[in-house]
């Protein structure tokens, strides 16, 4: 005689624990940043059976099963056996990283995770890139739909890596039939993050390029985590954009932040940024400026259709960002000491940068004469 169905047994015996269903979820980059927040959230979610945390160091979440290894290690396939969904968050987007090493880590890591997931029988991989892949262009619609063409170029920090990850995401289901890939693209991410766009608000003046049309949309890391959770639980799939509802015009940002603008002609701003990056004075290439000049606001319509809503508004996220950067002093992405910051505030951001560039050039000429 066959044994009764587990659900039938549970109904006959109310004291019996309900069978635990739901996915086993692996999170890469689980020890810090968004990965750590998501790992904690998923571990507390009753709809998730188990969380497998993967990183090069052990994180804080005691309820996850930890595996310590580099995501580029093919041995990761063994750690993914029995996993249903992988959320790949092990990316290096540090402004101070060597660009070649950063690209090697990001692209090779994503390739390895996708291949290992397919080999281990994982049914879904969730990747996180950025809404920056749409590009910041003067003719962008406000807001952009998820299906909008990816028109970004490789000229901004890390965007080349993100575009390559997007290409790998499109190719993976064809290379590995049965593997579903979801891509989540957040707006300007805030909440313990350090990017060229968050450093924009550390400047003594907000650089505005004459004739440009900035539009600011933020995404709090908590909202990104809930969006990733929707993807993990298969409430939504495909290419997903996530951010606060609506956007802020530049004038609203200036009013809310209390930081005055410095308006410059495009040729001056872009030329100065390119020169300063070329001589190594600033970490941000000139391409980063486009994201402060033109709109790249996203609608998030697919997440909204699935019932997801952001908990944070643009105004609230901007206020948190301003609290986080209080006391920091940055010009064109370069952090300054207190003395330098005072000079920058008095002379204006671009004047200070051009003066610093001149100092660097004079120092180099002096060294050549010795």
């Amino acid at each position: 005689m066959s044994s009764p169905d587990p659900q039938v047994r549970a109904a006959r015996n109310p004291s019996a624990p309900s069978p635990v269903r739901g996915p086993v979820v692996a999170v890469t980059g689980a020890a810090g940043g968004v990965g750590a927040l998501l790992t904690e959230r998923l571990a507390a979610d009753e709809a998730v059976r188990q969380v497998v945390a993967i990183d090069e160091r052990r994180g804080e979440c005691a309820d996850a099963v930890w595996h310590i290894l580099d995501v580029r290690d093919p041995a990761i396939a063994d750690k993914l056996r029995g996993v249903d969904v992988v959320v790949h968050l092990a990316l290096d987007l540090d402004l101070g990283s060597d660009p070649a090493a950063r690209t090697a880590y990001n692209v090779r890591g994503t390739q390895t995770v996708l291949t290992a997931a397919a080999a281990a029988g994982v049914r879904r991989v969730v990747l996180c890139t950025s809404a920056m892949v749409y590009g910041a262009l003067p003719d962008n619609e406000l807001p952009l739909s998820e299906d909008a063409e990816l028109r970004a170029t490789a000229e901004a920090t890390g965007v080349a890596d993100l575009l390559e990850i997007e290409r790998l995401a499109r190719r993976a289901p064809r290379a590995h039939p049965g593997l579903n890939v979801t891509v989540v693209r957040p707006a300007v991410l805030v909440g313990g993050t350090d990017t060229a766009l968050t450093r924009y608000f550390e400047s003594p003046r907000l650089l505005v390029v004459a004739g440009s049309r900035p539009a600011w949309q933020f995404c709090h890391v908590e909202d990104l985590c809930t969006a990733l959770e929707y993807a993990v639980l298969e409430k939504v799939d495909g290419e997903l954009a996530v951010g606060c509802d609506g956007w802020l015009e530049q004038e609203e940002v200036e009013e809310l932040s209390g930081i005055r603008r410095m308006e410059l002609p495009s040729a001056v701003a872009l030329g100065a940024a390119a020169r300063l990056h070329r001589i190594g004075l600033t970490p941000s290439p000139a391409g980063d400026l486009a994201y402060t000049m033109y709109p790249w606001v996203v609608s998030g319509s697919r997440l909204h259709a699935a019932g997801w809503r952001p908990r944070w508004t643009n105004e609230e996220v901007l206020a948190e960002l301003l609290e986080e950067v209080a006391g920091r002093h940055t010009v064109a992405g370069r952090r300054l000491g207190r003395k330098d910051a005072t000079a920058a505030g008095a002379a204006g951001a671009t004047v200070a940068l051009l003066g610093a560039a001149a100092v660097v050039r004079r120092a180099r000429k002096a060294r050549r004469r010795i």
Side-chain angles (χ1 to χ4, degrees):
M1 181 176 179
S2 62
S3 59
D5 181 89
Q7 290 183 333
V8 174
R9 288 201 303 271
R12 291 175 182 169
N13 181 11
S15 63
S18 300
V20 178
R21 300 189 184 278
V24 176
V25 184
V27 179
T28 69
V34 177
L37 293 174
L38 182 65
T39 299
E40 291 282 359
R41 184 176 182 87
L42 294 177
D45 191 333
E46 293 182 356
V48 174
R49 193 184 334 163
Q50 187 180 63
V51 178
V52 176
I54 298 173
D55 209 318
E56 294 176 57
R57 62 182 176 88
R58 187 180 180 87
E60 302 277 332
C61 184
D63 294 324
V65 176
W66 285 89
H67 295 298
I68 313 302
L69 80 165
D70 189 311
V71 291
R72 295 169 292 181
D73 187 340
I76 195 173
D78 293 333
K79 312 304 181 186
L80 297 181
R81 305 272 177 206
V83 169
D84 300 298
V85 183
V86 175
V87 185
H88 179 47
L89 298 173
L91 295 177
D92 178 8
L93 299 176
D94 192 325
L95 287 171
S97 295
D98 174 74
R102 181 174 60 210
T103 295
Y105 180 83
N106 291 337
V107 175
R108 176 68 182 277
T110 303
Q111 286 175 325
T112 303
V113 167
L114 288 168
T115 302
V122 173
R123 69 170 183 260
R124 178 183 293 257
V125 174
V126 181
L127 302 176
C128 187
T129 61
S130 167
M132 293 175 78
V133 296
Y134 290 109
L137 299 157
D139 61 344
N140 274 347
E141 293 184 359
L142 273 171
L144 292 161
S145 72
E146 283 92 345
D147 292 329
E149 181 184 354
L150 306 188
R151 297 197 290 163
T153 65
E155 295 170 357
T157 305
V159 172
D161 295 359
L162 300 179
L163 289 170
E164 181 61 18
I165 291 169
E166 293 272 353
R167 188 186 70 81
L168 293 171
R170 290 192 299 272
R171 192 178 67 180
R174 298 194 298 270
H176 308 290
L179 181 66
N180 183 299
V181 179
T182 297
V183 180
V184 180
R185 302 166 179 157
V188 179
L189 196 59
V190 174
T193 58
D194 178 25
T195 67
L197 293 168
T198 59
R199 287 192 183 189
Y200 177 79
F201 294 93
E202 299 177 17
S203 300
R205 298 285 187 271
L206 296 180
L207 176 62
V208 177
V209 177
S212 65
R213 184 172 60 104
W216 290 90
Q217 181 187 39
F218 300 98
C219 177
H220 196 277
V221 291
E222 291 178 359
D223 283 337
L224 174 58
C225 284
T226 60
L228 290 168
E229 189 175 22
Y230 261 62
V232 163
L233 298 177
E234 300 181 85
K235 296 179 180 180
V236 63
D237 61 10
E239 297 164 340
L240 311 174
V242 55
C244 300
D245 290 337
W247 62 89
L248 298 174
E249 303 287 352
Q250 182 70 22
E251 292 75 15
E252 294 176 286
V253 166
E254 291 167 19
E255 182 178 353
L256 290 167
S257 68
I259 307 174
R260 289 182 293 171
R261 70 165 58 192
M262 169 168 283
E263 190 163 319
L264 293 168
S266 175
V268 172
L270 293 170
R275 287 194 299 276
L276 293 169
H277 182 66
R278 189 166 55 248
I279 64 177
L281 190 61
T282 65
S284 299
D288 286 349
L289 269 182
Y291 291 89
T292 69
M293 294 169 61
Y294 303 118
W296 49 291
V297 172
V298 291
S299 68
S301 57
R302 286 185 182 144
L303 278 163
H304 280 68
W308 178 90
R309 293 293 183 275
R311 292 186 59 187
W312 292 73
T313 66
N314 282 303
E315 291 85 352
E316 290 169 340
V317 180
L318 176 58
E320 172 152 322
L321 172 57
L322 292 171
E323 285 186 16
E324 285 187 6
V325 305
R328 299 177 190 167
H329 307 285
T330 295
V331 175
R334 175 178 174 258
R335 289 254 168 88
L336 304 177
R338 186 177 300 275
K339 184 177 180 181
D340 291 333
T342 302
T350 302
V351 173
L353 274 178
L354 293 175
V359 168
V360 171
R361 286 195 296 271
R362 285 198 299 271
R364 288 180 173 175
K365 288 179 181 177
R367 284 199 299 272
R368 286 197 293 269
R369 287 196 295 267
I370 294 173

